[in-house]
Coordinates of all heavy atoms in Angstrom, one line a residue:
M269 N -7.4 26.0 10.1 CA -6.2 25.4 9.6 C -6.6 24.1 8.8 O -7.4 23.3 9.3 CB -5.2 25.0 10.8 CG -3.9 24.6 10.3 SD -2.7 24.4 11.7 CE -2.8 22.7 11.9
K270 N -6.0 23.9 7.6 CA -6.3 22.8 6.8 C -5.8 21.5 7.4 O -4.6 21.5 7.8 CB -5.8 23.0 5.4 CG -6.1 21.8 4.4 CD -5.5 22.1 3.1 CE -5.8 21.1 2.0 NZ -5.6 19.7 2.3
R271 N -6.6 20.5 7.5 CA -6.1 19.2 8.0 C -5.6 18.4 6.8 O -6.4 18.3 5.8 CB -7.2 18.4 8.7 CG -7.5 19.0 10.1 CD -8.6 18.2 10.7 NE -8.1 16.9 11.1 CZ -7.5 16.6 12.2 NH1 -7.4 17.5 13.1 NH2 -7.1 15.3 12.4
H272 N -4.4 17.9 6.8 CA -3.9 17.2 5.7 C -4.4 15.7 5.7 O -4.4 15.1 6.7 CB -2.4 17.2 5.7 CG -1.8 18.5 5.4 ND1 -2.0 19.1 4.2 CD2 -1.1 19.4 6.1 CE1 -1.3 20.3 4.2 NE2 -0.8 20.5 5.4
T273 N -4.8 15.2 4.5 CA -5.2 13.8 4.4 C -3.9 13.0 4.2 O -2.8 13.5 4.0 CB -6.1 13.6 3.2 OG1 -5.3 13.9 2.0 CG2 -7.3 14.5 3.3
I274 N -4.1 11.7 4.3 CA -3.0 10.8 4.0 C -2.4 11.0 2.6 O -1.2 11.1 2.4 CB -3.4 9.3 4.2 CG1 -3.7 9.0 5.6 CG2 -2.4 8.4 3.6 CD1 -2.6 8.9 6.5
E275 N -3.4 11.3 1.7 CA -2.9 11.5 0.3 C -2.1 12.8 0.2 O -1.1 12.8 -0.5 CB -4.2 11.6 -0.6 CG -4.9 10.3 -0.9 CD -5.7 9.8 0.3 OE1 -6.0 10.6 1.2 OE2 -6.0 8.6 0.4
D276 N -2.5 13.8 1.0 CA -1.7 15.1 1.0 C -0.3 14.8 1.5 O 0.7 15.3 1.0 CB -2.4 16.1 1.9 CG -3.7 16.6 1.4 OD1 -3.9 16.6 0.1 OD2 -4.5 17.1 2.2
K277 N -0.3 14.1 2.6 CA 1.0 13.8 3.2 C 1.9 13.0 2.3 O 3.1 13.2 2.3 CB 0.8 13.1 4.6 CG 0.2 14.1 5.6 CD -0.1 13.4 6.9 CE -0.8 14.3 7.9 NZ -1.3 13.6 9.1
L278 N 1.3 12.0 1.6 CA 2.1 11.2 0.7 C 2.7 12.0 -0.4 O 3.8 11.8 -0.9 CB 1.3 10.0 0.2 CG 1.0 8.9 1.2 CD1 0.0 7.9 0.6 CD2 2.2 8.2 1.6
A279 N 1.9 13.1 -0.8 CA 2.4 14.0 -1.9 C 3.6 14.8 -1.4 O 4.4 15.3 -2.3 CB 1.3 14.9 -2.3
F280 N 3.8 14.9 -0.1 CA 5.0 15.7 0.4 C 6.2 14.7 0.5 O 7.3 15.2 1.1 CB 4.7 16.3 1.8 CG 3.7 17.3 1.8 CD1 2.7 17.4 2.8 CD2 3.6 18.3 0.8 CE1 1.8 18.4 2.8 CE2 2.7 19.3 0.8 CZ 1.7 19.3 1.8
T281 N 6.1 13.5 0.2 CA 7.1 12.5 0.5 C 7.8 12.0 -0.8 O 7.2 11.9 -1.9 CB 6.4 11.3 1.2 OG1 5.6 11.8 2.3 CG2 7.4 10.3 1.7
N282 N 9.0 11.7 -0.7 CA 9.8 11.1 -1.8 C 10.3 9.7 -1.4 O 10.4 9.4 -0.2 CB 11.0 11.9 -2.1 CG 10.6 13.1 -3.0 OD1 9.6 13.1 -3.6 ND2 11.5 14.1 -3.0
W283 N 10.6 8.9 -2.4 CA 11.1 7.5 -2.1 C 12.3 7.3 -3.0 O 12.4 7.7 -4.1 CB 10.0 6.5 -2.4 CG 8.9 6.5 -1.5 CD1 8.7 5.8 -0.4 CD2 7.7 7.3 -1.6 NE1 7.5 6.1 0.2 CE2 6.8 7.0 -0.6 CE3 7.3 8.3 -2.6 CZ2 5.6 7.7 -0.4 CZ3 6.1 8.9 -2.4 CH2 5.2 8.6 -1.3
N284 N 13.2 6.5 -2.5 CA 14.3 6.0 -3.3 C 14.5 4.6 -2.9 O 15.4 4.2 -2.1 CB 15.6 6.8 -3.0 CG 16.8 6.4 -3.8 OD1 16.6 5.8 -4.9 ND2 18.0 6.6 -3.3
F285 N 13.7 3.7 -3.5 CA 13.8 2.3 -3.2 C 14.7 1.5 -4.1 O 14.8 1.7 -5.3 CB 12.4 1.7 -3.2 CG 11.5 2.0 -2.0 CD1 10.2 2.5 -2.2 CD2 12.0 1.9 -0.8 CE1 9.5 2.9 -1.2 CE2 11.2 2.2 0.3 CZ 9.9 2.7 0.1
D286 N 15.4 0.6 -3.4 CA 16.3 -0.3 -4.1 C 15.5 -1.6 -4.4 O 15.3 -2.4 -3.5 CB 17.5 -0.6 -3.2 CG 18.4 -1.6 -3.9 OD1 18.2 -2.1 -5.0 OD2 19.5 -1.9 -3.2
H287 N 15.0 -1.7 -5.6 CA 14.1 -2.9 -5.9 C 14.9 -4.2 -6.0 O 14.3 -5.2 -6.2 CB 13.2 -2.6 -7.1 CG 12.2 -1.5 -6.9 ND1 12.3 -0.2 -7.2 CD2 11.0 -1.6 -6.3 CE1 11.2 0.5 -6.8 NE2 10.4 -0.4 -6.3
T288 N 16.2 -4.1 -6.0 CA 17.0 -5.3 -6.0 C 17.1 -5.9 -4.5 O 17.6 -7.0 -4.3 CB 18.4 -5.1 -6.6 OG1 19.1 -4.2 -5.7 CG2 18.3 -4.5 -8.0
Y289 N 16.7 -5.1 -3.6 CA 16.8 -5.4 -2.1 C 15.5 -5.0 -1.4 O 15.5 -3.9 -0.8 CB 18.0 -4.7 -1.5 CG 18.3 -5.1 -0.1 CD1 18.9 -6.3 0.2 CD2 17.9 -4.2 1.0 CE1 19.2 -6.6 1.6 CE2 18.2 -4.6 2.3 CZ 18.8 -5.8 2.6 OH 19.0 -6.1 3.9
P290 N 14.4 -5.8 -1.6 CA 13.1 -5.4 -1.0 C 13.2 -5.2 0.5 O 13.7 -6.1 1.2 CB 12.2 -6.5 -1.4 CG 12.9 -7.3 -2.5 CD 14.3 -7.1 -2.3
H291 N 12.7 -4.1 1.0 CA 12.7 -4.0 2.5 C 11.5 -4.7 3.1 O 11.5 -4.9 4.3 CB 12.7 -2.5 2.9 CG 11.5 -1.8 2.7 ND1 11.0 -1.5 1.4 CD2 10.6 -1.2 3.5 CE1 9.9 -0.8 1.5 NE2 9.6 -0.7 2.7
L292 N 10.5 -5.1 2.3 CA 9.4 -5.9 2.8 C 9.1 -7.0 1.8 O 9.1 -6.8 0.6 CB 8.1 -5.0 2.8 CG 8.0 -4.0 4.0 CD1 6.8 -3.1 3.7 CD2 7.8 -4.7 5.3
T293 N 8.8 -8.2 2.4 CA 8.4 -9.3 1.5 C 7.2 -10.0 2.2 O 7.1 -10.0 3.4 CB 9.5 -10.3 1.3 OG1 10.0 -10.8 2.5 CG2 10.6 -9.7 0.5
L294 N 6.4 -10.7 1.4 CA 5.3 -11.5 1.9 C 5.5 -13.0 1.6 O 6.2 -13.3 0.6 CB 4.0 -11.1 1.2 CG 3.2 -9.9 1.5 CD1 1.9 -9.9 0.7 CD2 3.0 -9.8 2.9
N295 N 5.0 -13.8 2.4 CA 5.0 -15.2 2.1 C 3.6 -15.6 1.7 O 2.7 -15.7 2.5 CB 5.4 -16.0 3.3 CG 5.5 -17.5 3.0 OD1 4.9 -18.0 2.2 ND2 6.4 -18.2 3.8
E296 N 3.4 -15.7 0.3 CA 2.1 -16.0 -0.2 C 1.4 -17.3 0.4 O 0.2 -17.3 0.5 CB 2.1 -16.1 -1.7 CG 2.2 -14.7 -2.4 CD 1.9 -14.8 -3.9 OE1 1.3 -15.7 -4.3 OE2 2.4 -13.9 -4.6
K297 N 2.3 -18.3 0.6 CA 1.7 -19.5 1.2 C 1.1 -19.3 2.6 O 0.1 -19.9 2.9 CB 2.8 -20.6 1.2 CG 3.2 -21.1 -0.2 CD 4.3 -22.1 0.0 CE 4.8 -22.6 -1.4 NZ 6.0 -23.3 -1.4
V298 N 1.8 -18.5 3.3 CA 1.2 -18.1 4.7 C 0.0 -17.3 4.5 O -1.0 -17.6 5.2 CB 2.3 -17.4 5.5 CG1 1.7 -16.9 6.8 CG2 3.5 -18.3 5.8
C299 N 0.0 -16.3 3.7 CA -1.2 -15.4 3.5 C -2.4 -16.2 3.1 O -3.5 -15.8 3.4 CB -0.9 -14.4 2.5 SG 0.3 -13.1 3.0
A300 N -2.2 -17.3 2.4 CA -3.4 -18.1 1.9 C -4.2 -18.7 3.1 O -5.3 -19.0 3.0 CB -2.9 -19.3 1.1
Y301 N -3.5 -18.7 4.3 CA -4.3 -19.2 5.5 C -4.9 -18.1 6.3 O -5.5 -18.3 7.3 CB -3.3 -20.0 6.4 CG -2.9 -21.3 5.8 CD1 -1.7 -21.5 5.2 CD2 -3.8 -22.4 5.9 CE1 -1.3 -22.7 4.6 CE2 -3.4 -23.7 5.4 CZ -2.2 -23.8 4.7 OH -1.8 -25.0 4.2
C302 N -4.7 -16.8 5.9 CA -5.1 -15.7 6.7 C -6.6 -15.5 6.5 O -7.1 -15.6 5.4 CB -4.3 -14.5 6.2 SG -4.7 -13.0 7.2
T303 N -7.3 -15.2 7.6 CA -8.8 -15.0 7.5 C -9.1 -13.5 7.6 O -10.3 -13.2 7.4 CB -9.5 -15.8 8.6 OG1 -8.9 -15.4 9.9 CG2 -9.3 -17.3 8.4
H304 N -8.2 -12.7 8.0 CA -8.6 -11.3 8.3 C -8.0 -10.2 7.4 O -8.5 -9.2 7.2 CB -8.3 -10.9 9.8 CG -6.9 -11.2 10.1 ND1 -5.8 -10.5 9.7 CD2 -6.4 -12.2 10.9 CE1 -4.7 -11.0 10.2 NE2 -5.0 -12.1 11.0
H305 N -6.9 -10.6 6.8 CA -6.2 -9.7 5.8 C -6.1 -8.3 6.3 O -6.4 -7.3 5.6 CB -7.0 -9.7 4.5 CG -7.3 -11.0 4.0 ND1 -8.5 -11.5 3.9 CD2 -6.4 -12.0 3.6 CE1 -8.5 -12.8 3.4 NE2 -7.3 -13.1 3.2
S306 N -5.7 -8.2 7.6 CA -5.7 -6.8 8.2 C -4.6 -5.9 7.6 O -4.8 -4.7 7.7 CB -5.4 -7.0 9.7 OG -4.3 -7.8 10.0
C307 N -3.6 -6.4 6.9 CA -2.7 -5.5 6.2 C -3.3 -4.7 5.2 O -2.9 -3.6 4.9 CB -1.6 -6.4 5.6 SG -2.2 -7.6 4.5
T308 N -4.5 -5.2 4.6 CA -5.1 -4.4 3.5 C -5.8 -3.2 4.0 O -6.2 -2.4 3.2 CB -6.0 -5.3 2.7 OG1 -7.1 -5.8 3.6 CG2 -5.3 -6.5 2.1
Y309 N -6.1 -3.1 5.3 CA -6.8 -1.9 5.8 C -6.0 -1.2 6.9 O -6.4 -0.1 7.3 CB -8.2 -2.2 6.2 CG -8.4 -3.4 7.2 CD1 -8.3 -3.2 8.5 CD2 -8.8 -4.6 6.7 CE1 -8.5 -4.3 9.4 CE2 -9.0 -5.7 7.5 CZ -8.9 -5.5 8.9 OH -9.1 -6.6 9.7
C310 N -4.9 -1.7 7.3 CA -4.1 -1.0 8.3 C -2.9 -0.2 7.7 O -2.4 0.7 8.4 CB -3.5 -2.0 9.3 SG -4.7 -2.8 10.4
C311 N -2.5 -0.5 6.5 CA -1.4 0.2 5.9 C -1.8 1.6 5.5 O -2.8 1.8 4.8 CB -0.9 -0.5 4.7 SG 0.3 0.4 3.8
P312 N -1.2 2.6 6.1 CA -1.6 4.0 5.7 C -1.3 4.4 4.3 O -1.9 5.4 3.8 CB -0.8 4.9 6.7 CG 0.4 4.0 7.0 CD 0.0 2.6 7.0
A313 N -0.5 3.7 3.6 CA -0.1 4.0 2.2 C -0.8 3.1 1.2 O -0.5 3.1 0.1 CB 1.4 4.0 2.1
N314 N -1.7 2.2 1.7 CA -2.4 1.3 0.8 C -1.5 0.4 0.0 O -1.7 0.3 -1.2 CB -3.4 2.1 -0.1 CG -4.5 2.7 0.7 OD1 -5.0 2.1 1.6 ND2 -4.9 3.9 0.2
C315 N -0.5 -0.1 0.6 CA 0.5 -0.9 -0.1 C 0.0 -2.3 -0.3 O 0.6 -3.1 -1.2 CB 1.8 -0.9 0.6 SG 2.6 0.7 0.7
Y316 N -1.0 -2.7 0.4 CA -1.5 -4.1 0.3 C -2.9 -4.1 -0.4 O -3.7 -3.2 -0.1 CB -1.7 -4.8 1.7 CG -0.4 -5.0 2.4 CD1 0.3 -4.0 3.1 CD2 0.2 -6.3 2.3 CE1 1.5 -4.2 3.7 CE2 1.4 -6.5 2.9 CZ 2.1 -5.5 3.6 OH 3.3 -5.7 4.2
E317 N -3.1 -5.1 -1.2 CA -4.4 -5.2 -1.9 C -4.8 -6.7 -2.0 O -3.9 -7.6 -2.3 CB -4.2 -4.6 -3.3 CG -5.5 -4.7 -4.2 CD -5.2 -4.2 -5.6 OE1 -4.1 -3.9 -6.0 OE2 -6.2 -4.2 -6.4
Q318 N -6.0 -6.9 -1.8 CA -6.5 -8.3 -2.0 C -7.2 -8.4 -3.4 O -8.1 -7.6 -3.7 CB -7.6 -8.7 -0.9 CG -8.0 -10.2 -1.0 CD -8.8 -10.6 0.1 OE1 -9.4 -9.9 0.8 NE2 -8.8 -11.9 0.4
L319 N -6.7 -9.3 -4.2 CA -7.2 -9.5 -5.5 C -8.4 -10.3 -5.6 O -8.8 -10.9 -4.6 CB -6.1 -10.2 -6.4 CG -4.7 -9.5 -6.4 CD1 -3.7 -10.3 -7.2 CD2 -4.8 -8.1 -6.9
E320 N -9.1 -10.2 -6.7 CA -10.4 -10.9 -6.8 C -10.2 -12.4 -6.6 O -11.2 -13.1 -6.1 CB -11.0 -10.7 -8.2 CG -11.6 -9.3 -8.4 CD -12.3 -9.2 -9.7 OE1 -12.4 -10.1 -10.5 OE2 -12.7 -8.0 -10.0
D321 N -9.1 -13.0 -6.9 CA -8.9 -14.4 -6.6 C -8.5 -14.7 -5.2 O -8.2 -15.9 -4.8 CB -7.8 -15.0 -7.6 CG -6.4 -14.4 -7.4 OD1 -6.2 -13.6 -6.4 OD2 -5.5 -14.7 -8.2
G322 N -8.5 -13.7 -4.3 CA -8.3 -13.9 -2.9 C -6.8 -13.6 -2.5 O -6.5 -13.5 -1.3
R323 N -5.9 -13.6 -3.4 CA -4.5 -13.4 -3.0 C -4.2 -12.0 -2.6 O -4.9 -11.1 -3.1 CB -3.6 -13.7 -4.2 CG -3.4 -15.2 -4.6 CD -2.5 -15.4 -5.7 NE -2.9 -14.7 -6.9 CZ -2.1 -13.8 -7.6 NH1 -0.8 -13.6 -7.1 NH2 -2.5 -13.2 -8.6
V324 N -3.4 -11.9 -1.6 CA -2.9 -10.5 -1.2 C -1.6 -10.2 -1.8 O -0.7 -11.0 -1.7 CB -2.9 -10.5 0.4 CG1 -2.3 -9.2 0.9 CG2 -4.3 -10.7 1.0
V325 N -1.5 -9.0 -2.4 CA -0.2 -8.6 -3.0 C 0.3 -7.3 -2.3 O -0.5 -6.6 -1.8 CB -0.4 -8.4 -4.5 CG1 -0.7 -9.8 -5.2 CG2 -1.5 -7.4 -4.8
L326 N 1.6 -7.2 -2.4 CA 2.2 -6.0 -1.8 C 2.9 -5.2 -2.9 O 3.7 -5.8 -3.6 CB 3.2 -6.5 -0.7 CG 4.3 -5.5 -0.3 CD1 3.7 -4.4 0.5 CD2 5.3 -6.3 0.6
N327 N 2.7 -3.9 -2.9 CA 3.4 -3.0 -3.7 C 3.9 -1.9 -2.8 O 3.2 -1.0 -2.4 CB 2.5 -2.4 -4.8 CG 3.3 -1.4 -5.6 OD1 4.4 -1.1 -5.4 ND2 2.6 -0.8 -6.6
Y328 N 5.2 -2.0 -2.5 CA 5.7 -1.1 -1.4 C 6.3 0.2 -2.0 O 7.0 1.0 -1.3 CB 6.8 -1.8 -0.6 CG 8.0 -2.3 -1.4 CD1 9.0 -1.5 -1.8 CD2 8.1 -3.7 -1.7 CE1 10.0 -2.0 -2.6 CE2 9.1 -4.2 -2.4 CZ 10.1 -3.3 -2.8 OH 11.2 -3.8 -3.5
D329 N 5.9 0.6 -3.2 CA 6.4 1.8 -3.8 C 6.1 3.1 -3.0 O 6.7 4.1 -3.2 CB 6.0 2.0 -5.3 CG 6.8 1.0 -6.2 OD1 7.7 0.4 -5.7 OD2 6.5 1.0 -7.4
Q330 N 5.0 3.1 -2.2 CA 4.7 4.3 -1.4 C 4.8 4.0 0.1 O 4.2 4.7 0.9 CB 3.3 4.8 -1.8 CG 3.2 5.5 -3.1 CD 2.0 6.4 -3.2 OE1 0.9 6.0 -2.9 NE2 2.2 7.6 -3.7
C331 N 5.5 2.9 0.4 CA 5.7 2.6 1.8 C 6.4 3.7 2.6 O 7.4 4.2 2.1 CB 6.5 1.3 1.9 SG 7.0 0.8 3.6
V332 N 5.9 4.0 3.8 CA 6.5 5.1 4.6 C 7.3 4.4 5.8 O 7.7 5.1 6.7 CB 5.5 6.1 5.1 CG1 4.9 6.9 4.0 CG2 4.4 5.4 5.9
E333 N 7.5 3.1 5.7 CA 8.3 2.4 6.7 C 7.8 2.6 8.1 O 8.6 2.7 9.0 CB 9.8 2.8 6.5 CG 10.4 2.5 5.2 CD 11.7 3.1 4.9 OE1 12.5 3.3 5.9 OE2 12.1 3.3 3.8
C334 N 6.5 2.6 8.3 CA 5.9 2.7 9.6 C 6.0 1.4 10.4 O 5.9 1.5 11.7 CB 4.5 3.2 9.6 SG 3.4 2.0 8.8
G335 N 6.1 0.3 9.8 CA 6.2 -1.0 10.5 C 4.8 -1.6 10.9 O 4.8 -2.6 11.5
T336 N 3.7 -0.9 10.6 CA 2.4 -1.4 11.0 C 2.1 -2.8 10.5 O 1.7 -3.7 11.2 CB 1.3 -0.5 10.5 OG1 1.6 0.8 11.0 CG2 -0.1 -0.9 11.0
C337 N 2.4 -3.1 9.2 CA 2.1 -4.4 8.6 C 2.9 -5.5 9.3 O 2.4 -6.6 9.6 CB 2.3 -4.4 7.1 SG 4.0 -3.9 6.7
F338 N 4.1 -5.2 9.6 CA 5.0 -6.2 10.3 C 4.4 -6.5 11.7 O 4.4 -7.6 12.1 CB 6.4 -5.6 10.4 CG 7.4 -6.5 11.0 CD1 7.8 -7.7 10.4 CD2 7.9 -6.2 12.3 CE1 8.8 -8.5 11.1 CE2 8.8 -7.0 12.9 CZ 9.2 -8.2 12.3
S339 N 3.9 -5.4 12.4 CA 3.4 -5.6 13.7 C 2.1 -6.3 13.8 O 1.9 -7.1 14.7 CB 3.3 -4.2 14.4 OG 4.5 -3.6 14.5
I340 N 1.2 -6.1 12.8 CA -0.1 -6.6 12.9 C -0.3 -8.0 12.3 O -1.3 -8.7 12.5 CB -1.2 -5.6 12.4 CG1 -0.9 -5.2 11.0 CG2 -1.3 -4.4 13.3 CD1 -1.6 -6.0 9.9
C341 N 0.7 -8.4 11.5 CA 0.6 -9.7 10.8 C 0.9 -10.8 11.8 O 2.0 -11.1 12.1 CB 1.6 -9.8 9.6 SG 1.4 -11.4 8.8
D342 N -0.2 -11.4 12.3 CA 0.0 -12.4 13.4 C 0.4 -13.8 12.9 O 0.7 -14.7 13.7 CB -1.3 -12.5 14.2 CG -2.5 -12.8 13.4 OD1 -2.4 -12.9 12.1 OD2 -3.6 -13.0 14.0
L343 N 0.5 -13.9 11.6 CA 1.0 -15.2 11.0 C 2.4 -15.1 10.6 O 3.0 -16.1 10.1 CB 0.1 -15.6 9.8 CG -1.4 -15.9 10.1 CD1 -2.1 -16.3 8.8 CD2 -1.5 -16.9 11.1
G344 N 3.1 -14.0 10.8 CA 4.5 -13.9 10.5 C 4.8 -13.9 9.0 O 5.9 -14.2 8.6
S345 N 3.9 -13.5 8.2 CA 4.1 -13.5 6.7 C 5.0 -12.4 6.3 O 5.8 -12.5 5.3 CB 2.8 -13.4 6.0 OG 3.0 -13.4 4.6
V346 N 4.9 -11.3 7.0 CA 5.7 -10.1 6.5 C 7.1 -10.1 7.1 O 7.3 -10.3 8.3 CB 5.0 -8.8 7.0 CG1 5.8 -7.6 6.6 CG2 3.6 -8.7 6.5
K347 N 8.1 -10.0 6.2 CA 9.5 -10.0 6.6 C 10.0 -8.6 6.3 O 9.8 -8.0 5.3 CB 10.3 -11.0 5.9 CG 9.9 -12.5 6.2 CD 10.2 -12.9 7.6 CE 9.8 -14.3 7.9 NZ 9.0 -14.4 9.1
W348 N 10.8 -8.1 7.3 CA 11.3 -6.7 7.2 C 12.8 -6.7 7.1 O 13.5 -7.4 7.9 CB 10.8 -5.9 8.4 CG 11.3 -4.5 8.5 CD1 12.5 -4.1 8.9 CD2 10.6 -3.4 8.1 NE1 12.6 -2.7 8.8 CE2 11.4 -2.3 8.3 CE3 9.3 -3.2 7.6 CZ2 11.0 -1.0 8.0 CZ3 8.9 -1.9 7.3 CH2 9.8 -0.8 7.5
N349 N 13.3 -6.0 6.2 CA 14.8 -5.7 6.1 C 15.0 -4.2 6.0 O 14.4 -3.6 5.2 CB 15.4 -6.3 4.8 CG 15.1 -7.8 4.7 OD1 15.5 -8.6 5.5 ND2 14.5 -8.2 3.6
N350 N 15.8 -3.7 6.9 CA 16.0 -2.2 6.8 C 16.6 -1.9 5.5 O 17.5 -2.6 5.0 CB 17.0 -1.8 7.9 CG 16.3 -1.7 9.3 OD1 15.1 -1.5 9.4 ND2 17.1 -2.0 10.3
P351 N 16.1 -0.8 4.8 CA 16.7 -0.4 3.5 C 18.2 -0.1 3.7 O 18.6 0.4 4.8 CB 16.0 0.8 3.2 CG 14.7 0.8 4.0 CD 15.0 0.0 5.2
K352 N 19.0 -0.3 2.7 CA 20.4 0.1 2.8 C 20.5 1.6 2.8 O 19.6 2.3 2.5 CB 21.1 -0.5 1.5 CG 21.2 -2.0 1.5 CD 21.9 -2.5 0.2 CE 22.0 -4.0 0.2 NZ 22.4 -4.5 -1.1
G353 N 21.7 2.0 3.3 CA 22.0 3.5 3.4 C 21.6 4.2 2.1 O 21.9 3.8 1.0
T354 N 21.0 5.4 2.3 CA 20.5 6.3 1.2 C 19.3 5.9 0.5 O 18.7 6.6 -0.3 CB 21.6 6.7 0.2 OG1 21.7 5.6 -0.7 CG2 22.9 7.0 0.8
F355 N 18.8 4.6 0.8 CA 17.6 4.1 0.2 C 16.4 4.2 1.2 O 16.6 4.3 2.4 CB 17.8 2.7 -0.3 CG 18.7 2.6 -1.5 CD1 20.0 2.2 -1.4 CD2 18.2 2.9 -2.8 CE1 20.8 2.1 -2.5 CE2 19.0 2.8 -3.9 CZ 20.3 2.4 -3.7
G356 N 15.2 4.2 0.6 CA 14.0 4.2 1.4 C 13.2 5.5 1.3 O 13.4 6.2 0.4
V357 N 12.3 5.7 2.3 CA 11.5 6.8 2.3 C 12.3 8.1 2.6 O 13.2 8.0 3.4 CB 10.3 6.6 3.2 CG1 10.7 6.6 4.7 CG2 9.2 7.7 3.0
I358 N 11.9 9.2 2.0 CA 12.6 10.5 2.3 C 11.5 11.5 2.7 O 10.7 11.9 1.8 CB 13.3 11.0 1.0 CG1 14.3 10.0 0.6 CG2 14.0 12.3 1.3 CD1 14.8 10.2 -0.8
F359 N 11.4 11.8 4.0 CA 10.4 12.7 4.4 C 10.9 14.2 4.2 O 12.0 14.5 4.6 CB 10.1 12.5 5.9 CG 9.4 11.2 6.2 CD1 10.1 10.2 6.8 CD2 8.1 11.0 5.8 CE1 9.5 8.9 7.0 CE2 7.5 9.7 6.0 CZ 8.2 8.7 6.6
R360 N 10.1 14.9 3.6 CA 10.5 16.3 3.2 C 10.0 17.3 4.2 O 10.5 18.4 4.3 CB 10.1 16.7 1.8 CG 10.9 15.9 0.8 CD 10.5 16.4 -0.6 NE 9.2 16.1 -1.0 CZ 8.6 16.6 -2.0 NH1 9.1 17.5 -2.8 NH2 7.3 16.3 -2.3
Q361 N 8.9 17.0 4.9 CA 8.3 18.0 5.8 C 7.9 17.3 7.1 O 6.9 16.8 7.3 CB 7.0 18.6 5.2 CG 7.3 19.4 4.0 CD 6.2 20.3 3.6 OE1 5.2 20.4 4.3 NE2 6.3 20.9 2.5
G362 N 8.8 17.3 8.1 CA 8.6 16.8 9.4 C 8.6 15.3 9.5 O 8.8 14.5 8.6
Ligands
SF4_18 S1 0.4 -10.2 5.3 FE1 -0.3 -11.1 7.3 S2 -2.2 -9.9 7.7 FE2 -1.7 -9.7 5.5 S3 -2.9 -11.3 4.4 FE3 -0.8 -12.1 4.8 S4 -1.0 -13.2 6.8 FE4 -2.8 -11.8 6.6
SF4_19 S1 5.6 -0.4 6.7 FE1 3.7 0.9 6.9 S2 3.6 2.0 5.0 FE2 5.0 0.3 4.7 S3 3.8 -1.4 3.8 FE3 3.9 -1.7 6.1 S4 2.1 -0.6 6.9 FE4 2.4 0.1 4.8

């Protein structure tokens, strides 16, 4: 039986994000004090990236709303707002 990769699983997924109402935000001033940047390797959808200048940026366009980044950010930089009705990730297979 074929084992699906994260990339395969993301290909089975749809999103309907309301970009006027972000469900995730970062506080860049807080992130500037972070020494581990664990969000950049814990997010299963690679939504976080550390730029060459050291800043961490978030692009939640493929976020699967697992909550990992919110849980592991020990500095409280990540803020979570539940998406409004009909918006957010749409799982098509399980
Ligand atoms: S979001 Fe949290 S874990 Fe990620 S860089 Fe900012 S402070 Fe660090
Ligand atoms: S909720 Fe999950 S998928 Fe979305 S950005 Fe955070 S870790 Fe990534």
Side-chain angles (χ1 to χ4, degrees):
M269 191 171 99
K270 181 181 185 305
R271 290 181 65 90
H272 291 296
T273 64
I274 292 288
E275 288 74 21
D276 292 335
K277 292 174 181 173
L278 289 172
F280 295 139
T281 306
N282 281 338
W283 294 265
N284 181 26
F285 284 128
D286 177 0
H287 288 97
T288 66
Y289 183 79
H291 71 292
L292 282 173
T293 58
L294 284 187
N295 184 331
E296 283 193 24
K297 289 179 183 167
V298 173
C299 292
Y301 290 98
C302 185
T303 56
H304 50 73
H305 311 112
S306 48
C307 56
T308 61
Y309 49 85
C310 289
C311 172
N314 293 324
C315 294
Y316 291 83
E317 180 185 4
Q318 187 170 21
L319 305 179
E320 284 184 6
D321 64 8
R323 287 183 302 125
V324 171
V325 292
L326 163 64
N327 176 0
Y328 57 77
D329 282 356
Q330 287 201 311
C331 172
V332 294
E333 299 173 26
C334 66
T336 302
C337 57
F338 180 71
S339 299
I340 56 92
C341 180
D342 55 355
L343 296 182
S345 176
V346 178
K347 296 291 180 232
W348 178 277
N349 301 303
N350 284 332
K352 293 178 182 171
T354 76
F355 289 100
V357 67
I358 303 163
F359 294 108
R360 291 187 291 165
Q361 297 196 6

